[in-house]
Amino acid sequence: MSGISQATGILAARDGVWEAVETATAHRGVEIDRYYAPPAEILATRWVAMEDVSVDPDLVNIGPRRQFDESIRIGISVGAWVAASGNREADGRAAFEAAYSILAEIQTHITQTDITLGGKVQWCLPGSMSTAGVQDPEGGGYVVEIQTEFVCAHRVRPT
């Protein structure tokens, strides 16, 4: 919930989201690849990758002991690839459904089971999201990637 610096808060929040990803998707076993940091190349048909982290400190409301709240935003990439079946619309729909089902598992776990990420933050909720899908130009399938973030509240207590 609080730490002595932004760095401790960032690492705690990142680890908390990572633990939530692993817990929420554990039932999928090896069907899904999980990456603590962005990989150079994704070879799996389903994946979740931790990405960027940004922090927005609220320094306007700084306390007498130099305490302040901050929002930590943790970027996540969720994706799925579906092999071509001959029906482009169905392939695209299947890829979107596969990616969104992974994201829904993670969001549901955080918002309904562990909103404080094991006590690492004050709260964590889903943030912004964008999605893109593309058909393989050679007709081999359809891939969808969701760029999303989780927003965590944290209090910095440097003294």
Side-chain angles (χ1 to χ4, degrees):
M1 288 192 155
S2 63
I4 61 170
S5 73
Q6 285 183 318
T8 59
I10 290 168
L11 290 174
R14 185 177 175 84
D15 286 344
V17 171
W18 177 248
E19 291 165 11
V21 165
E22 287 191 311
T23 301
T25 62
H27 71 280
R28 292 178 176 267
V30 296
E31 171 196 324
I32 185 172
D33 279 359
R34 297 163 197 86
Y35 304 100
Y36 184 77
E41 184 177 6
I42 294 174
L43 301 173
T45 60
R46 308 281 186 277
W47 74 88
V48 177
M50 301 277 289
E51 294 189 332
D52 60 313
V53 176
S54 65
V55 179
D56 299 315
D58 179 9
L59 299 178
V60 172
N61 296 313
I62 194 163
R65 294 184 176 172
R66 296 187 320 270
Q67 296 178 8
F68 59 92
D69 293 331
E70 63 185 358
S71 296
I72 301 170
R73 299 177 183 281
I74 301 170
I76 302 282
S77 167
V78 178
W81 176 81
V82 172
S85 69
N87 182 332
R88 291 181 180 187
E89 183 178 327
D91 296 344
R93 173 90 178 159
F96 275 97
E97 286 177 356
Y100 278 112
S101 71
I102 296 166
L103 179 58
E105 291 169 355
I106 298 165
Q107 288 178 335
T108 299
H109 175 76
I110 290 174
T111 60
Q112 295 183 14
T113 305
D114 193 11
I115 200 160
T116 67
L117 304 177
K120 292 174 175 65
V121 297
Q122 294 170 324
W123 51 259
C124 181
L125 292 169
S128 66
M129 175 178 42
S130 66
T131 307
V134 65
Q135 182 180 16
D136 178 349
E138 296 175 12
Y142 203 96
V143 66
V144 168
E145 182 177 17
I146 303 168
Q147 292 290 320
T148 190
E149 69 179 5
F150 287 90
V151 181
C152 305
H154 177 255
R155 171 153 289 189
V156 175
R157 300 175 188 223
T159 57

